[in-house]
Amino acid sequence: MNSVLLVRLAFDLSAAGLLLFGFTYWWLGNTAHELAGTAMFLLLIVHNLFNRRFYGTIGKTRRTMRPLFNVAVTLALLVAMVVLLVTSVLISEALSAVMSSFGGFAVRQIHTLAAYWALVIVAVHLGLRWPMIMSITRALFGISKPNAVRAWVLRLIALAIAIHGVWSSFELGLSGKLTMQVSLDWWNFEKSVIGFFVHCVAIAGLCTAVTYYALKWQQLRKRTTRTA
Ligand code: HEM
């Protein structure tokens, strides 16, 4: 097992965790939020340095569904993260001591909009990499042979997470968050902290599963039309 790849995945997992942590502004407050966001951006800079070769190959991308979708998702993620970073600087309370703050209500709204889109797009980005993540997980657990029962158990778990994800997207008012509708309906962290994380992970799981199975289905369809 390539140890550099494992370190990279540990960084990726930490960045995903910090992104989720960022949604808990009303639980832990501004300082924790700004520290988590800064750490996430530093990890994402490292992530992009590791993957820098990808950008040089965009012009040579095969004109087929999966590679083109991969490029589109990566560029959408780049836009969401740049918007998140720029608006973070504009509304930062820590930076307001050294520069004048430009953060009005609209900038905060755009910041929240970019954050929820980042959650969805990161999950799609992970769905595109799911075969690789699963093959590394199999290697870590020393699994070398396919097993139908294991595969079906995992599929049923994915289905349960996806169904939970649909419910969670209503519970968190996701469609309103992704369309920048103003709402004062924040999650009540006094009621439950873990419940909020479960909803966020389920929404991400839903997007990852839909991406993974849609691409798998598209691949199968291509194979059957080729052999027909
Ligand atoms: C929390 C956020 C993110 C997570 C969890 C994540 C996860 C991953 C994973 C697991 C991989 C494959 C393994 C690796 O190279 O480390 C990957 C690849 C990649 N990621 Fe991310 N990523 C995130 C954010 C981003 C952002 C913001 C960008 C910038 C647009 C980005 C660009 C890329 C690129 C260019 C690749 C290689 C794509 C390819 O070769 O097809 N990622 N990401």
Side-chain angles (χ1 to χ4, degrees):
M1 173 69 49
N2 180 338
S3 55
V4 176
L5 186 58
L6 283 183
V7 171
R8 278 168 63 169
L9 286 176
F11 282 179
D12 297 346
L13 189 65
S14 311
L18 289 167
L19 178 65
L20 289 182
F21 189 80
F23 287 96
T24 61
Y25 189 93
W26 298 110
W27 174 41
L28 291 175
N30 185 72
T31 307
H33 181 80
E34 291 198 14
L35 285 173
T38 307
M40 182 192 79
F41 284 122
L42 290 176
L43 285 173
L44 290 181
I45 289 169
V46 174
H47 180 69
N48 276 279
L49 287 175
F50 274 128
N51 286 300
R52 63 190 176 282
R53 246 178 285 155
F54 171 84
Y55 297 99
T57 62
I58 288 182
K60 296 176 213 138
T61 306
R62 267 184 298 125
R63 299 291 185 262
T64 52
M65 165 74 186
R66 192 188 178 105
L68 287 177
F69 184 59
N70 186 32
V71 170
V73 170
T74 308
L75 294 181
L77 191 50
L78 190 62
V79 171
M81 288 298 179
V82 168
V83 172
L84 198 59
L85 178 61
V86 171
T87 51
S88 310
V89 172
L90 293 178
I91 62 180
S92 166
E93 281 183 22
L95 291 179
S96 66
V98 286
M99 59 175 248
S100 48
S101 175
F102 296 94
F105 181 69
V107 181
R108 282 168 191 275
Q109 285 290 106
I110 295 168
H111 184 72
T112 311
L113 176 76
Y116 277 94
W117 273 108
L119 176 70
V120 170
I121 306 171
V122 164
V124 174
H125 183 64
L126 283 176
L128 276 157
R129 280 167 194 88
W130 206 248
M132 174 206 149
I133 293 170
M134 287 312 280
S135 95
I136 291 171
T137 311
R138 277 194 297 273
L140 277 177
F141 285 95
I143 299 169
S144 54
K145 288 192 189 120
N147 178 314
V149 176
R150 190 181 58 229
W152 274 105
V153 169
L154 290 176
R155 279 175 201 145
L156 288 175
I157 293 174
L159 179 67
I161 294 174
I163 292 169
H164 195 301
V166 173
W167 173 54
S168 297
S169 56
F170 287 105
E171 284 292 297
L172 295 191
L174 186 69
S175 66
K177 303 277 187 336
L178 295 178
T179 49
M180 213 171 153
Q181 281 165 33
V182 180
S183 160
L184 295 174
D185 190 16
W186 298 106
W187 179 264
N188 181 358
F189 284 103
E190 277 173 21
K191 204 175 89 187
S192 166
V193 171
I194 193 80
F196 180 79
F197 283 109
V198 169
H199 282 315
C200 287
V201 170
I203 289 171
L206 167 67
C207 300
T208 301
V210 168
T211 306
Y212 173 71
Y213 284 108
L215 288 171
K216 213 176 157 112
W217 174 74
Q218 193 255 348
Q219 221 172 4
L220 274 176
R221 221 179 52 144
K222 217 165 82 178
R223 224 175 284 160
T224 43
T225 45
R226 222 184 283 148
T227 51

